């Protein structure tokens, strides 16, 4: 039976979505990215070989199936071509399988420049963006001045639009940021080169998705970042600029919201965050350092060290509700092996009250004090286990309590980076 499923992050990103998309994509006709851009970093390990992807859907290492980039993705043509070439050099037939929506907003050099000037100007209040120009590109979309992938198909249209938009940006750079203007001729020449390489891949994605649905073929939607970085529902302003939650799937791909059958929330067994912003269960102690070292918690895209902390059931419960998650996939359970005691945050103390709904404001969330439940850890290794019955009893109890607190069943447990190091309790395609 065909099924349309989504794989989303339920925390602040870096939950291990890439591995699970790769794992589940064996039987799908297409994998679709619907938001974000090359700020994402999805790491895949297949037979020990590591592949890092930023824009191309994580099913590209499979032998078949379309890899689709939906309209909600902001596309740096330069980054996409670099990523494509790396895969093509390895003998992967990218051009035969990749298709890009004609309605994607392009990230151009002025977006990355503005991202950087803004962060510098913010000083200590900086968001800690990836510096890829993601926010400024989405701003252009909302302001209705964006240059889109369909504009790559007409040199005349591209030239006119670039002239207009660069005039605006250069005014901003020179007058507000006292920075050098960017060269129109250079950007135009580069973009025209990129257009030549990408033009055959640019197409109407909603039509492909609808046709696959009519033919009863399965489709998988691959989220980037995580629920708590959603521009509407995340820890604003310390968020990314797209809708990372399930609502973004329909708008970011053109696939009707009634057609989704299953939404899987990828959830790390503890919590991490890259960049600034509140993090109630953050550990600035030896345990935090232990999680960071053992979990190799370094950003795939920027190489920044991730902040680490205990599992926050208040925030993940919110993610379950916001995304209508059908089930959870718990990742990096093995990182907790050997810890004497584990803590789960089940509520917050906020202004002398006990709350279980996170406050909307980043400033208020920063004032929340976690209320912890303590559970005993386990001594034996869970690394690489493939069967639930092999898990230590205390690991089973930890997982059961997480599931109970957040209100969603556990479908998959990931016990290592390799595709094979996985316990499947309930396959979303069954
Ligand atoms: P931007 O998406 O580059 O604008 O960055 C905004 C925030 O989202 C920063 O805190 C980034 O660290 C975070 N962020 C963006 N992409 C990712 C990701 O793929 N994983 C984790 N955090 C991310």
């Amino acid at each position: 039976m065909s099924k349309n499923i989504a794989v989303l992050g339920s925390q602040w990103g870096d939950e291990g979505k890439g591995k699970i998309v790769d794992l589940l994509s064996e039987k799908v006709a297409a994998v679709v990215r619907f938001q974000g851009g090359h700020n994402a970093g999805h790491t895949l390990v297949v037979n020990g070989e590591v592949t890092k992807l930023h824009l191309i859907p994580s099913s590209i290492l499979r032998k078949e199936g379309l890899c689709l980039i939906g309209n909600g993705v902001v596309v740096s043509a330069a980054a996409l071509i670099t990523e494509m070439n790396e895969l093509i050099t390895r003998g992967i037939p990218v051009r035969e399988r990749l298709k890009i929506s004609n309605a994607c907003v392009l990230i151009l050099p002025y977006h990355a420049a503005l991202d950087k000037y803004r962060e510098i100007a913010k000083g200590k209040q900086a968001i800690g963006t990836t510096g890829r120009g993601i926010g400024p590109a989405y701003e252009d979309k909302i302001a209705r001045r964006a240059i889109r992938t369909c504009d790559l198909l007409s040199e005349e249209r591209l030239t006119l639009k670039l002239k207009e938009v660069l005039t605006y940006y250069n005014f901003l750079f020179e007058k507000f940021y006292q920075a050098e203007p960017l060269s129109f001729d250079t950007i135009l020449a580069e973009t025209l080169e990129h257009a030549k390489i990408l033009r055959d891949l640019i197409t109407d994605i909603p039509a492909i998705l609808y046709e696959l649905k009519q033919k009863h073929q399965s489709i998988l939607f691959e989220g980037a970042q995580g629920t708590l970085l959603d521009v509407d529902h995340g820890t604003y302003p310390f968020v990314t600029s797209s809708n990372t939650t399930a609502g973004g799937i329909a708008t970011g791909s053109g696939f009707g919201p009634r057609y989704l059958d299953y939404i899987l929330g990828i959830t790390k067994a503890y919590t991490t965050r890259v960049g600034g912003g509140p993090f109630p269960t953050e550990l600035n102690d030896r345990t935090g350092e232990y999680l960071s070292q053992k979990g190799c918690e370094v950003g795939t895209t920027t190489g920044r060290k991730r902040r680490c902390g205990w599992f926050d059931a208040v925030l993940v419960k919110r993610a379950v509700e916001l995304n209508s998650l059908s089930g959870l996939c718990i990742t990096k359970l093995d990182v907790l092996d050997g810890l004497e005691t584990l803590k789960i945050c089940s509520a917050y103390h906020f202004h002398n009250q006990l709350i279980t709904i996170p406050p909307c404001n980043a400033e208020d969330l920063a004032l929340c004090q976690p209320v912890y439940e303590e559970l005993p850890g386990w001594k034996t290794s869970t690394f690489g286990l493939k069967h639930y019955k092999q898990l230590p009893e205390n690991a089973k109890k930890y997982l059961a309590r997480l599931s109970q607190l957040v209100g969603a069943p556990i479908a998959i447990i990931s016990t290592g980076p390799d595709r094979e190091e996985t316990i499947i309790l309930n396959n979303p395609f069954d």
Side-chain angles (χ1 to χ4, degrees):
M1 201 183 69
S2 73
K3 272 202 174 171
N4 301 313
I5 80 161
V7 172
L8 304 176
S10 59
Q11 292 152 315
W12 277 294
D14 309 314
E15 298 93 349
K17 296 175 288 295
K19 163 182 163 167
I20 303 301
V21 171
D22 166 67
L23 178 77
L24 295 178
S25 60
E26 192 178 7
K27 293 187 191 123
V28 304
V31 172
V32 192
R33 277 281 306 269
F34 56 89
Q35 47 72 227
H38 63 310
N39 51 347
H42 293 167
T43 306
L44 313 182
V45 184
V46 181
N47 300 328
E49 190 179 9
V50 180
T51 305
K52 291 180 195 263
L53 298 170
H54 301 282
L55 268 168
I56 297 180
S58 299
S59 55
I60 193 73
L61 300 186
R62 292 279 177 194
K63 292 214 162 50
E64 299 176 319
L66 291 171
C67 296
L68 307 179
I69 297 185
N71 58 280
V73 176
V74 280
V75 173
S76 155
L80 179 59
I81 292 166
T82 304
E83 197 169 317
M84 284 167 64
N85 286 342
E86 279 168 16
L87 294 166
I88 291 168
T89 313
R90 285 170 47 188
I92 298 166
V94 178
R95 294 192 71 86
E96 290 76 355
R97 294 176 51 206
L98 180 68
K99 302 221 174 293
I100 309 158
S101 163
N102 48 15
C104 291
V105 168
L106 287 174
I107 301 186
L108 287 155
Y110 44 83
H111 294 124
L114 180 59
D115 200 353
K116 284 178 191 148
Y117 296 147
R118 281 233 184 93
E119 285 284 274
I120 292 166
K122 273 178 177 278
K124 283 204 174 102
Q125 300 304 314
I127 290 166
T129 72
T130 58
R132 301 292 188 267
I134 306 290
Y138 279 115
E139 281 172 50
D140 272 5
K141 167 169 160 171
I142 303 304
R144 294 167 292 188
R145 62 170 168 255
I147 300 179
R148 305 194 299 170
T149 33
C150 53
D151 298 317
L152 293 178
L153 306 178
S154 155
E155 182 171 340
E156 193 191 345
R157 206 164 56 208
L158 179 68
T159 309
L160 275 175
K161 289 193 178 182
L162 184 63
K163 185 107 229 156
E164 191 181 323
V165 80
L166 193 62
T167 306
Y168 162 76
Y169 274 100
N170 276 341
F171 179 82
L172 197 61
F173 292 159
E174 288 181 286
K175 305 287 181 217
F176 191 80
Y177 290 103
Q178 275 83 50
E180 288 295 309
L182 299 186
S183 155
F184 169 77
D185 291 338
T186 308
I187 299 178
L188 181 65
E190 278 170 9
T191 312
L192 287 172
E193 276 310 303
H194 296 154
K196 275 191 220 155
I197 300 169
L198 297 180
R199 59 180 309 132
D200 293 344
L201 309 181
I202 297 172
T203 187
D204 188 288
I205 298 290
I208 297 179
L209 295 177
Y210 193 72
E211 195 185 329
L212 290 175
K213 191 212 160 287
Q214 293 303 88
K215 289 184 179 162
H216 304 289
Q217 306 251 35
S218 296
I219 305 170
L220 194 155
F221 294 85
E222 174 178 16
Q225 292 84 46
T227 298
L228 307 172
L229 289 171
D230 184 283
V231 67
D232 286 287
H233 298 288
T235 48
Y236 190 91
F238 299 96
V239 291
T240 191
S241 299
S242 64
N243 283 115
T244 57
T245 45
I249 297 170
T251 51
S253 70
F255 193 62
R258 277 196 306 118
Y259 304 149
L260 272 186
D261 298 297
Y262 191 105
I263 306 181
L264 181 68
I266 313 298
T267 309
K268 215 177 260 189
Y270 48 100
T271 314
T272 62
R273 167 162 217 173
V274 204
F279 182 171
T281 61
E282 183 169 14
L283 291 167
N284 292 308
D285 59 7
R286 275 174 47 200
T287 311
E289 197 47 42
Y290 177 85
L291 295 174
S292 164
Q293 294 285 328
K294 191 150 182 222
C296 303
E297 295 296 354
V298 176
T300 310
T301 300
T302 56
R304 288 180 293 176
K305 206 171 157 196
R306 297 177 187 141
R307 300 154 66 192
C308 295
W310 293 119
F311 187 86
D312 189 332
V314 175
L315 294 178
V316 177
K317 179 171 183 290
R318 181 73 165 183
V320 168
E321 295 166 5
L322 286 169
N323 294 300
S324 59
L325 294 183
S326 318
L328 301 178
C329 165
I330 304 292
T331 60
K332 291 198 154 180
L333 183 68
D334 55 291
V335 174
L336 301 180
D337 293 350
L339 287 172
E340 199 67 41
T341 306
L342 302 173
K343 293 187 187 180
I344 304 177
C345 168
S346 57
Y348 299 141
H349 274 303
F350 178 61
H351 290 316
N352 295 323
Q353 279 189 323
L354 203 60
I355 59 167
T356 52
I357 295 176
C360 166
N361 224 315
E363 290 89 341
D364 287 342
L365 186 60
L367 296 176
C368 287
Q369 291 300 319
V371 177
Y372 286 118
E373 287 188 7
E374 291 196 9
L375 280 87
W378 52 91
K379 291 273 174 280
T380 51
S381 167
T382 62
F383 185 81
L385 295 186
K386 293 177 184 149
H387 303 284
Y388 182 76
K389 60 177 190 302
Q390 298 172 316
L391 288 175
E393 282 312 306
N394 283 350
K396 289 182 189 164
K397 285 186 188 149
Y398 179 74
L399 292 170
R401 187 62 184 140
L402 292 194
S403 169
Q404 189 182 36
L405 282 169
V406 306
I410 296 175
I412 300 176
I413 303 161
S414 170
T415 55
D418 203 283
R419 201 187 258 170
E420 305 300 322
E421 292 160 347
T422 313
I423 300 170
I424 301 188
L425 299 171
N426 174 15
N427 190 323
F429 283 109
D430 289 344

